Amino acid sequence: MKKRTLIALPLVAVAATIFAYHTIFTLPDSAQVSTLSPATQAPELACYNNPKATVLDKQGELNVLVWNIYKQNRSSWQSALDYLAQDKQLLLLQEASMTPELRHWIDQGQWSGNLVDAFKAFDTSAGVLNLAHELPRKACAYTEMEPWLRLPKSAIYANYPLSNEQSLAVVNIHAINFTYGTEEYHSQLGKLAKALAQHSGPMIIAGDFNSWSEERLQVMKSLLEKLQVTEAIYQPDHRKQFINGLPLDHLFYRGLVLEKAKAPISDASDHNPMEVYFRLP
């Protein structure tokens, strides 16, 4: 009897884990992007297209916030986001949980944007989120499955018109984290690098790259150097680091003039934000 009980306990634990997983998480059948705008009602699509897009920059000024906001789990997220967003034209957020509170913040600030639904937790979408006061010309969803956790990580490839008649390509990424080796990591970044290679104008590639090992850094840099991008240098630099001192968050750019970049300390997330200020050449 005791032997049967000992055999049954692991099976019960596995069954309970599987049941809890399916109760909490809902995964999309394919990568889809949702459009958030008071004036636009768009279905979830692999790519959103907007032929009437207007310019992103403000008279040649382009200020960008990049931040993993930790699903808004800290009570001070809203006041911090109010402060950080006030002089920005583009917000690139990772681990955004589309709660009623975040949706209210978006609507109240008259922001518009696109969310890639990596998964739903208790029917609330979570993933990467681009916000601006104008919708992009194009936004496409990318997801890559975490091999251990079996939850997707997400990215957005977007395209925005600029006032100098150029087009800005933007990638907002939350990279694969828990893997043995770099195969899945290379696959996720490689798909985005391939899409960016088709773009001849300025670009921004930013987000939480989960670059916690030298091997991952090498993959990231080898793929991105082919795009002739430059990495922003921060002063001060309080980006979140892994235990070995490697930063997890990055911003790369091309075809823009970097005015300044800083990564201040914030208690509103488990990552510190990156504020990067550009002007058009």
Side-chain angles (χ1 to χ4, degrees):
M1 187 68 178
K2 288 182 179 180
K3 187 176 180 180
R4 288 181 181 177
T5 303
L6 288 172
I7 294 172
L9 282 174
L11 297 176
V12 171
V14 169
T17 301
I18 294 171
F19 176 78
Y21 177 91
H22 288 289
T23 300
I24 296 170
F25 299 109
T26 305
L27 307 187
D29 293 329
S30 60
Q32 294 182 326
V33 63
S34 300
T35 301
L36 311 172
S37 171
T40 302
Q41 296 296 324
E44 291 186 345
L45 301 166
C47 286
Y48 162 79
N49 290 284
N50 174 24
K52 297 180 180 179
T54 55
V55 299
L56 175 66
D57 60 282
K58 183 180 179 181
Q59 298 176 334
E61 181 182 86
L62 180 57
N63 303 335
V64 183
L65 171 68
V66 184
W67 196 17
N68 182 321
I69 58 172
Y70 192 44
K71 302 182 182 69
Q72 304 98 257
N73 280 330
R74 301 273 175 88
S75 59
S76 56
W77 74 266
Q78 188 165 338
S79 59
L81 200 51
D82 283 338
Y83 175 75
L84 292 165
Q86 62 184 337
D87 62 344
K88 307 299 190 299
Q89 285 80 48
L90 181 62
L91 313 181
L92 304 177
L93 306 178
Q94 302 85 47
E95 284 198 51
S97 179
M98 194 48 61
T99 60
E101 292 79 13
L102 179 58
R103 187 60 203 247
H104 177 72
W105 185 90
I106 292 169
D107 292 341
Q108 191 175 46
Q110 296 184 313
W111 295 94
S112 296
N114 304 95
L115 170 77
V116 173
D117 181 2
F119 58 85
K120 288 183 173 68
F122 297 113
D123 292 325
T124 299
S125 296
V128 293
L129 173 64
N130 286 16
L131 292 175
H133 291 297
E134 304 295 341
L135 284 168
R137 181 179 286 138
K138 181 178 184 178
C140 294
Y142 288 79
T143 56
E144 193 80 20
M145 184 67 74
E146 285 271 13
W148 293 359
L149 296 182
R150 304 310 297 166
L151 288 174
K153 285 292 195 297
S154 56
I156 295 176
Y157 173 93
N159 192 288
Y160 298 86
L162 299 173
S163 60
N164 62 1
E165 299 186 358
Q166 288 189 303
S167 182
L168 174 71
V170 176
V171 161
N172 177 7
I173 183 171
H174 188 197
I176 287 282
N177 194 4
F178 301 104
T179 62
Y180 182 78
T182 59
E183 182 179 349
E184 293 86 359
Y185 191 72
H186 189 285
S187 173
Q188 183 188 24
L189 270 62
K191 291 171 187 174
L192 293 162
K194 184 178 180 180
L196 285 164
Q198 307 304 310
H199 181 75
S200 60
M203 63 178 60
I204 292 173
I205 309 161
D208 178 357
F209 283 81
N210 276 315
S211 49
W212 42 258
S213 71
E214 292 292 346
E215 291 78 14
R216 284 171 169 249
L217 276 176
Q218 184 56 42
V219 168
M220 180 182 74
K221 291 181 177 179
S222 66
L223 288 168
L224 297 185
E225 69 182 6
K226 298 173 186 176
L227 301 171
Q228 298 181 313
V229 293
T230 301
E231 183 167 8
I233 306 298
Y234 306 88
Q235 184 60 42
D237 186 354
H238 295 294
R239 288 176 295 164
K240 182 174 182 177
Q241 298 179 351
F242 194 55
I243 54 175
N244 56 9
L246 294 176
L248 303 180
D249 304 309
H250 304 268
L251 181 145
F252 300 86
Y253 67 96
R254 185 181 81 185
L256 300 167
V257 179
L258 178 65
E259 298 279 86
K260 62 178 179 178
K262 57 183 179 179
I265 295 172
S266 173
D267 64 358
S269 171
D270 63 342
H271 285 242
N272 289 321
M274 301 188 300
E275 300 179 79
V276 188
Y277 297 79
F278 295 106
R279 63 176 170 85
L280 304 190

